[in-house]
Every structure is written in C-alpha cells, then in structure tokens.
Amino acid sequence: MTLASEPDLRTLLTQERHRIHLVGVAGSGMSGIAALLLELGHEVSGSDKVGSIETERLVRLGLRFHLEHRAEDANDADLVIFSSAIRKENPILVSAQAAGKPLLRRAEALAAIMSGKRGIIIAGMHGKTTTSAMAAHVLREGGTHPSHYVGAEIPLLGSNAHWDLRGEYFVAEGDESDGTLRLFQPEHALILNIEEEHLDFYPDLAAIEAVFSQMMDQTTGSIFYCADDLHATRICGPRARSISFGFAPNADYRGTDIDLKDFASIFCVFRRGEKLGEAVLNVPGRHNVSNSLGVIAVATELGVPFEKIVTSLRRFEHARRRFEIKYESERFLLVDDYAHHPTEISATLTTAKSAGRNRVLTMFQPHRYSRTKALRREFGRAFDSADRVVVTDIYPASEAPLPGITGQTIADEITAHGHRGVSYQPRLDRLHCDLGNMIASGDLILSLGAGNIHEQLSILAADLVIAERLKAIVGEEGDVRLYEPLAKHTTLRVGGPAQFWVEPRSEAALADLIRYCRRENLPLFVIGRGSNLLVRDGGIRGVVVHPCGGEFDAVDVSGNEITAGVGAKLKQVAYAGKAASLGGLEWMEGIPGSVGGSLRMNAGAMGAQTFENVVRVRYLDGEGNAHTKTPAEMEINYRHVPSLDSNYAVSAVFRGTRSAPEEIARRLDESQEKRRTTQPSAKSAGCIFKNPKSGPAGKLVDELGLKNSRVGQARVSEVHGNFIINEGGATAAEVIELIEKIKESARTQRGVELETEVQIVGEEA
Ligand code: EPU
C-alpha cells in the first residue's frame, strides 16, 4: 500500500480511530506522538528495547508497551509509525512492509496531526525546546487551550505532548536535523536561529537553509524570526508577513534594559517603538530573554494581552536538562544542561559564569562522532568561560565510530586554543570522581551534553548531600573530601578513591560520625597512616575516616605512662619515651604506622609487639559510646586484635620503664640500623605476610627464589622477601596478583598456607 495522501492522513489520524503501533516509542519524540494518538482516541501499542519515564506514564494512559521489537506485537496495527533511530531491518518494519501497511516516519505523523489544528512551529538550531514549551505555556495561560508537542519532559506543562480538544492552536517543536521540517504546513513559524549543524545529514549551510525556506513557503500566516541572528535575518527578513524580535534596534518586538540576575532576567519590551511594559523571566541567560521576545511576539499577534503574557512568563519554569539545578547550597551549585553544540555551550557557560559563584567546573560529553569531527575547531573555542573542563568520550547516538575521533579530539582542541584547565577522562563512570575531587566551596559544577552525562551529575549531587552533612558533623576544623584518591594515603601508593573522606579532629566528632553512618546505613572504615593497607583500585564505598589533628595527634607523658591519640605515629611514642627517660618502647621506631593502626593489628618489630606496652585503650563502640579497657579485658592475637574489629580506638596509654638515656639511644640506633640494613626504603606496605609457624615469611619467599619476581610495576623486594614494592604506577590488581603467585608457590612447593598481614580492602575497579 502506498502512503495515504496528506488530507487522508490527517483524517485518519485526527478524525478516525485506528490501531497504531510505534516502533521506538520510548524516545522523547516518539513518546509525544504516542501521547497525542492516545488522546485522539486511537488504540496505541509501541515497542522499544528500553523503557523510560515516558513509557511508564503512557502505559497508565493506555499504551500497550512491548520491551522488544517483535513483528507479532504489531500484527493487528492498521498503521506503523517509526523513529529515525530505527534500522530498516527492524522486524516490525519488515513485516509491516510485507503486509502492505502504511508506514510513517515520526515527523510525517506529527505534521499530519498538526494539520488538524492551526499550527505554530518553533524551529532553529538552539533553544527550540525551551521556546516551544514557553509558547505553549503562555498561550495556555492566555486562555487559548493550545495543543503542544515538545521534545522533552516539561514539568510545567504536565507532559511532552497534549491534544486539547477545546483549542485551535497547536505549538510544535520542529526538528531540522533530518530535513523533515519541510513536511510541515503551519500557520505561523518562529525561527530562532540558523547555523551549521547536523553535518552528518546536510552537505552545507545552503542545504539547511533550503529546508527552512521550503517550510516558510508552506507557512500561511506570519514568520517570526530573531533579528540578531545573521542567517535567520537574511532568509526570513525579505519575506512578506515577517515579524522580527530580539535586541537589534530595528526589531519589531525589541527587548531593552536587560538586567540579568542569577537565575532571572528583567527587561523592557517595545513593539515597533512603542513601550509595552516590563517583563520578568525566571529562567537564566540572555539567550532566553531573546527566546521569550519571540514568544511575546507570537502571543501578542495572536491577541493575548501583554499583562497576561507577563504574568505567565513570570511563572515559566525550565524544561528538564535546560539549565536544570540539581543541587544548590551556600557552598555549591550543580547545574545540568543539554547543550551539545558549541554555540549552546558558550551561551550556557556565559550564563553559568554570571551566576556569581567562584569557579565554573564543567564536565562535557560530546554527542555524535560526525558533529565532533565537523565542529572540532568551534568546540575548541566554546569553553573559554569555564575554569576547568573534563571531557569524556563521545556519546554515539546511532552512529558508528569515526577513526581518530574521540573525546580526546575536543580536549586537544580546547588545549590548543590556549585553555589551561582541560583534561580527558575516557570513562564516563569516573567523571563524577574527577569533578568531585576538584570542587571547593563556592564552585558551580555544570554537566553538558545530549547523551547520558547528567547521570554523573546526579551521582555527584547525591554524594554532595551526604558530604555536606558529614561536613556539618566535623565542623569548621574538620575536613571532608569527595572521592579522595587513597593512593595518596597508603604507603604502597596504590588504591582507588574513598567515596567520602572525612577527617574529624575530636572524639566527639568521631562519635557523631559513627552514629550518623549507623543511622544512614553507610559503611564506615577507619584509616590511619595506611602503612599496612592495600586498597583495591575501585576504592572504598562509604565513609573513610582518618582521625588526625587535634586531640588525635596528642602525645602526653605522665610518670611512666605515655598517652597517645590514634592519629600520632607509633614512633612518636618511642621518642616521647626517650625524652622522658622511658625505655622499652624503642622497637616502635621501626613502625611507620599510626597508634590506631598499630593497636588494631598489634603491630610488632624486633621481637616485641604493641600490646606488650599497652596499659589501657580508649575506644568508641558501634553506637559511638566511649569505653576504656585494659589488655586483659580484650582479645588480642598475633597481628590481630578482634576486640577492635568493630570498635574504634581513640587513644591508648603505653607504659615504659625507667632507663638510662644512653641505653634508650643505643636501642633506637639498633632498631634503625636493623631496618636500614634488612628492609627496602622503596614504597611498600611493610611485611605482606604474617610469619607462619614454620618460620619467617621473608625467608620462605627468598628460598622459593621469588625475590625480584614481578607483576607490572609491583615487584618483590630483593632486600627482604616479605616486602612488595611499588616501582611507580603499580595498581592494586598487580600487587594482589603477585601476592597470589607467592601464596601459590608456598602452597605447592612447601605446603605452607601464607596469610596476608596487610589488610586488603575496597572494590575492584
Ligand atoms: N630473611 C631471609 N630473606 C629475606 C628476608 C628475611 O632469609 O628476604 C631471614 C632473615 O635473615 C632473618 C629472618 O628471615 O633471619 C627474619 O627476618 P627479619 O628479621 O627481617 O624479620 P621478619 O620476621 O621478616 C619482622 C616483622 C617486621 C619487622 C621486623 C624487624 C613480621 C611479619 N614482620 O619481620 O614487621 O619490621 O620483624 O623487627 O612479623 C611489618 O609488620 O610490616 C614489618 C615489617
């Protein structure tokens, strides 16, 4: 069957009732068509490989939704409508074609539905969604009951599309990307701007202009165009019945005295030199003032009184993903925007800059290989207003990759243009970490792109909510950081990020943290100096607490006792002892860890171990309550103190014995000398394995001939077999693989089951 002629199609879609199937119904454009068809009384089914918020809403309105494309689900359809993202081989298309059913592209269906009303089409490269939503809203408030079709979810309008039986007008966003703009025969057209875009489809600007011109030839009423846009003015200006708007002195509807506030603008409106009055727009940016002048022009020409227009503009809210505020506090502002063309990016960044925060940090996901390639130079110049830019890889939409074109292409162009704050992060799922890691109080963080980058900003926003609560708990003196790389906090220098890095300065703050994490079900992990710790490359989820500074670092001597906070280094205890002529603690000189870490694992050296010197330990339990215990009241093993597994030590009292200063100095020298001569000085986590009953692990590794064996940048020390050293840039995965090799060798060759002394924590990358 051939396609029905246009009047037939209009009757079929707007006056009759049919069974209609939509292929690719979850997309923002297709779901709008489905909504219109349901409201027009059709029996509508649809298929897609994914569901969306829109499909959920449509199912409630009567859509039969299928989560795959199967020919039999569309067998009873009289008509099939398909998205341009659907391939020719799609089974529903193939079978509908074979059955001779009419097949319609999305834009054909929209044009036919729209022809059932007095159409107002909003077209242009940038700002269509916002402007068509604004036009539908203003006409609705003006009492004209317009129907609408907009390319995104519009909370203010209730849905992305609506057929209103009562009204005559139909406001639709016209898509220029695939030439289907020429299908429309509206009464009025509003042209926002025309420039080079979608060069995957059009050979050049002239081809783009030809499509706009044809659509305008088919427009029976007025052509509204932006007088500030060069190309729009050139092709629309000379037409009869054209009406201009913008800031240009000769614009028919002109905005002047524009006062751009953080998130609103106030401006004066003139019609052909006559002042209509003042308007307030509650969405930010000069470009939106221009868009609103277009809407004011249309609404005024359609007879909506200016006062009505002003009241409704004041109430207008943004479409989703159009400068959408995801999080706002005194310290941070997180904004998401759909901008993906260089012109849109500069406009959004200018708006962001004028929001009055300190810095603008941007994450950008390029959209389509073809656009990246065609506009690479323009992208290079688009980020001037951003203080930092992290570019991720390209969101392909339906495109196949182009050789040599990646997100790096754009990062390089921005750098070549002279920007100093650009980096490339190929992994989308790491973007929130990169940005979260660089934020400081006062920053505005912006996600830009038409793909799925907004999900990264949402993760950051959710984590920021928690980070701000944690900050309130630790107070001014404490510190909270997001996604702190743990490689910075381990002596082995490996490990991924801590979701929340928290440094409390007091026992009271630590107790509050424990209670908060328990209430919110957040895992809590305490880290000292990270000397016996191996953090996996995926980092640690939850709160990583590093008690340091303040009372945690205090070391006080009183009589024969030394009280030390868990943040102090164990060797400080040895030196405090020396200063007070207290001996027996010299072995501590050889331990690089903190008091907290040494307590937890009963660290030892020179044949001695921590708990031999401990008199009392003060700790907080899982509810944040403080206790003081003697070693006799605790369970203490070789390199493991089970009593501290689920409690959090805050300080300990050590006892020394009165000794001659020379004797203490001699023993400290001895310990130092032993360490210097038998242990490597390179980056390591101390001894990797506990000494098995059969003898020292280092000796065993040595005898197995595994010294100097390596995986990547991790190598067994040639000085001491129980040390693995990071030669620079080793990953946790490499270290763990090397550990497994050693264990395997000890098991098979000696029947010895080596057990790690280092604590291995965190998630795989
Ligand atoms: N040995 C070898 N080859 C080697 C390493 C050691 O033959 O590659 C021999 C040594 O010659 C010595 C014996 O093995 O006869 C024991 O070695 P070492 O004296 O170095 O002691 P260790 O048991 O390997 C322990 C602690 C260290 C601490 C030292 C010094 C354990 C697992 N390790 O090492 O602690 O610094 O004593 O007192 O108990 C740590 O816990 O992280 C740590 C480094």
Side-chain angles (χ1 to χ4, degrees):
M1 192 172 144
T2 52
L3 267 185
S5 71
E6 265 166 44
D8 289 349
L9 212 49
R10 174 176 55 211
T11 315
L12 191 143
L13 290 177
T14 65
Q15 277 154 40
E16 302 170 358
R17 305 283 176 270
H18 292 277
R19 291 176 173 208
I20 303 175
H21 185 89
L22 290 92
V23 194
V25 71
S28 57
M30 289 293 282
S31 63
I33 302 288
L36 291 170
L37 294 172
L38 284 164
E39 287 180 312
L40 281 159
H42 298 285
E43 228 179 89
V44 186
S45 57
S47 50
D48 208 301
K49 60 176 191 289
V50 293
S52 64
I53 311 175
E54 294 295 341
T55 53
E56 280 172 30
R57 191 175 58 80
L58 291 167
V59 165
R60 289 196 293 274
L61 296 175
L63 173 80
R64 260 193 297 134
F65 178 58
H66 304 279
L67 200 58
E68 60 185 311
H69 297 295
R70 281 187 318 206
E72 60 264 37
D73 294 327
N75 274 351
D76 59 355
D78 307 325
L79 177 77
V80 171
I81 300 173
F82 62 99
S83 148
S84 51
I86 298 297
R87 293 173 205 281
K88 280 200 295 291
E89 311 79 63
N90 181 286
I92 300 181
L93 288 198
V94 172
S95 114
Q97 223 150 14
K101 286 184 188 173
L103 280 169
L104 284 186
R105 288 190 287 170
R106 179 187 65 88
E108 289 170 322
L110 176 61
I113 296 171
M114 192 173 173
S115 67
K117 298 253 188 202
R118 299 171 70 180
I120 302 166
I121 194 126
I122 316 285
M125 272 59 193
H126 324 298
K128 296 185 284 294
T129 301
T130 300
T131 312
S132 40
M134 205 189 291
H137 165 72
V138 170
L139 290 181
R140 185 189 277 188
E141 300 258 306
T144 66
H145 303 293
S147 300
H148 72 261
Y149 173 91
V150 179
E153 211 186 312
I154 311 292
L156 186 67
L157 295 176
S159 63
N160 56 351
H162 171 55
W163 181 263
D164 196 321
L165 279 172
R166 297 167 295 179
E168 294 179 295
Y169 292 109
F170 189 116
V171 178
E173 171 179 344
D175 179 12
E176 75 289 348
S177 70
D178 56 1
T180 48
L181 204 52
R182 53 158 56 98
L183 296 169
F184 295 94
Q185 303 188 332
E187 183 165 315
H188 304 295
L190 171 58
I191 313 292
L192 297 166
N193 40 57
I194 297 174
E195 72 168 316
E196 287 194 322
E197 239 289 48
H198 312 295
L199 296 171
D200 52 323
F201 182 80
Y202 297 104
D204 52 21
L205 186 63
I208 298 174
E209 290 184 1
V211 170
F212 275 81
S213 290
Q214 185 179 338
M215 190 269 287
M216 285 189 273
D217 291 344
Q218 293 158 192
T219 303
T220 54
S222 304
I223 289 171
F224 298 85
Y225 70 93
C226 178
D228 305 307
D229 187 84
L230 218 62
H231 300 306
T233 303
R234 185 167 43 76
I235 72 160
C236 308
R239 287 179 178 266
R241 300 188 314 277
S242 70
I243 297 171
S244 62
F245 63 88
F247 307 120
N250 60 347
D252 292 320
Y253 284 81
R254 183 182 177 213
T256 66
D257 306 297
I258 300 137
D259 182 8
L260 295 174
K261 304 247 186 260
D262 279 8
F263 291 104
S265 314
I266 305 170
F267 53 102
C268 281
V269 185
F270 286 81
R271 179 180 50 190
R272 298 182 190 101
E274 171 210 349
K275 184 169 177 176
L276 293 177
E278 200 174 70
V280 179
L281 184 66
N282 279 315
V283 289
R286 194 178 160 85
H287 55 292
N288 279 320
V289 173
S290 173
N291 294 338
S292 76
L293 287 164
V295 172
I296 292 171
V298 171
T300 307
E301 295 291 319
L302 296 185
V304 181
F306 186 71
E307 301 65 51
K308 262 247 151 26
I309 299 176
V310 171
T311 0
S312 49
L313 273 185
R314 214 182 245 281
R315 279 205 284 264
F316 178 69
E317 288 163 20
H318 248 309
R320 284 273 148 81
R321 304 219 55 216
R322 306 305 190 275
F323 216 81
E324 184 181 349
I325 296 173
K326 290 275 192 182
Y327 178 75
E328 188 176 9
S329 73
E330 261 173 39
R331 285 153 46 87
F332 305 106
L333 180 61
L334 269 60
V335 177
D336 173 51
D337 196 274
Y338 195 65
H340 51 286
H341 182 280
T343 306
E344 296 162 350
I345 292 168
S346 322
T348 303
L349 282 171
T350 306
T351 306
K353 202 71 194 167
S354 67
R357 300 277 169 150
N358 290 352
R359 300 184 302 172
V360 174
L361 313 180
T362 307
M363 49 170 121
F364 174 55
Q365 182 186 38
H367 186 258
R368 291 185 182 275
Y369 297 99
S370 56
R371 185 185 287 111
T372 304
K373 187 174 177 198
L375 301 176
R376 55 194 291 177
R377 300 262 179 281
E378 289 79 357
F379 278 117
R381 293 191 290 266
F383 290 88
D384 289 355
S385 307
D387 294 280
R388 296 288 292 273
V389 187
V390 184
V391 183
T392 190
D393 210 359
I394 298 169
Y395 183 85
S398 48
E399 290 184 353
L402 293 175
I405 301 295
T406 67
Q408 181 85 58
T409 314
I410 288 181
D412 290 347
E413 289 288 348
I414 304 172
T415 306
H417 177 61
H419 203 297
R420 300 216 159 261
V422 189
S423 55
Y424 174 55
Q425 169 56 270
R427 282 185 61 169
L428 179 71
D429 64 345
R430 292 284 176 89
L431 272 188
H432 69 282
C433 291
D434 288 14
L435 267 292
N437 212 222
M438 55 175 83
I439 60 173
S441 187
D443 287 341
L444 186 156
I445 300 102
L446 185 63
S447 57
L448 294 172
N452 53 352
I453 192 167
H454 55 289
E455 294 165 2
Q456 287 296 304
L457 195 74
S458 297
I459 297 174
L460 182 57
D463 285 352
L464 210 46
V465 172
I466 296 174
E468 297 245 68
R469 295 215 186 110
L470 294 167
K471 175 67 185 159
I473 291 171
V474 299
E476 261 320 297
E477 60 282 11
D479 196 9
V480 175
R481 278 172 254 163
L482 276 177
Y483 321 126
E484 175 78 350
L486 289 172
K488 269 168 65 178
H489 298 279
T490 55
T491 55
L492 187 58
R493 293 281 182 268
V494 303
Q499 191 180 8
F500 306 103
W501 173 264
V502 186
E503 294 182 8
R505 307 279 182 240
S506 67
E507 183 184 310
L510 178 59
D512 282 346
L513 279 174
I514 293 169
R515 292 187 197 109
Y516 173 77
C517 291
R518 194 184 169 92
R519 207 171 47 240
E520 299 294 322
N521 233 337
L522 276 168
L524 185 153
F525 181 78
V526 180
I527 168 171
R529 295 201 169 254
S531 59
N532 229 262
L533 191 63
L534 176 46
V535 180
R536 292 191 186 89
D537 300 310
I540 301 180
R541 287 200 65 76
V543 176
V544 177
V545 176
H546 180 55
C548 66
E551 57 195 67
F552 292 121
D553 283 1
V555 179
D556 298 308
V557 185
S558 166
N560 286 2
E561 292 185 351
I562 302 170
T563 305
V566 285
K569 291 182 189 167
L570 197 65
K571 64 174 65 173
Q572 279 177 266
V573 177
Y575 285 101
K578 182 186 179 212
S581 300
L582 291 175
L585 307 162
E586 299 82 357
W587 64 271
M588 294 180 177
E589 187 280 337
I591 303 286
S594 63
V595 168
S598 309
L599 288 171
R600 205 185 136 95
M601 65 173 293
N602 193 14
M606 309 291 286
Q609 52 187 10
T610 307
F611 270 84
E612 290 166 12
N613 297 102
V614 170
V615 190
R616 287 183 299 279
V617 177
R618 183 174 169 85
Y619 65 82
L620 298 173
D621 64 20
E623 267 108 39
N625 301 318
H627 304 268
T628 301
K629 290 258 159 85
T630 63
E633 297 170 303
M634 300 169 71
E635 188 189 347
I636 295 153
N637 301 335
Y638 166 67
R639 298 290 183 269
H640 181 204
V641 180
S643 298
L644 291 176
D645 279 352
S646 50
N647 294 309
Y648 308 93
V650 286
S651 64
V653 179
F654 299 89
R655 180 170 293 147
T657 44
R658 291 277 148 208
S659 309
E662 340 38 282
E663 180 57 17
I664 298 174
R666 191 190 59 73
R667 285 208 291 260
L668 281 171
D669 282 350
E670 193 189 327
S671 163
Q672 248 168 15
E673 181 62 11
K674 158 118 188 178
R675 197 158 40 85
R676 206 178 52 76
T677 52
T678 64
Q679 295 181 2
S681 56
K683 288 175 234 154
S684 79
C687 283
I688 290 287
F689 301 105
K690 291 179 184 172
N691 283 340
K693 289 206 173 62
S694 55
K699 188 160 181 274
L700 173 61
V701 174
D702 195 353
E703 288 166 4
L704 288 168
L706 291 174
K707 274 187 168 174
N708 280 324
S709 59
R710 64 160 66 233
V711 174
Q713 293 299 100
R715 180 171 62 84
V716 177
S717 164
E718 62 183 335
V719 183
H720 193 300
N722 203 1
F723 283 70
I724 291 179
I725 61 176
N726 177 359
E727 300 208 294
T731 62
E734 288 170 352
V735 176
I736 290 169
E737 195 181 325
L738 190 51
I739 290 174
E740 289 308 321
K741 279 192 170 167
I742 297 169
K743 283 172 94 171
E744 175 67 15
S745 180
R747 188 182 303 127
T748 51
Q749 298 192 36
R750 292 293 179 84
V752 175
E753 203 53 56
L754 282 177
E755 206 185 310
T756 46
E757 175 184 299
V758 290
Q759 199 186 353
I760 304 178
V761 295
E763 305 188 3
E764 309 273 349

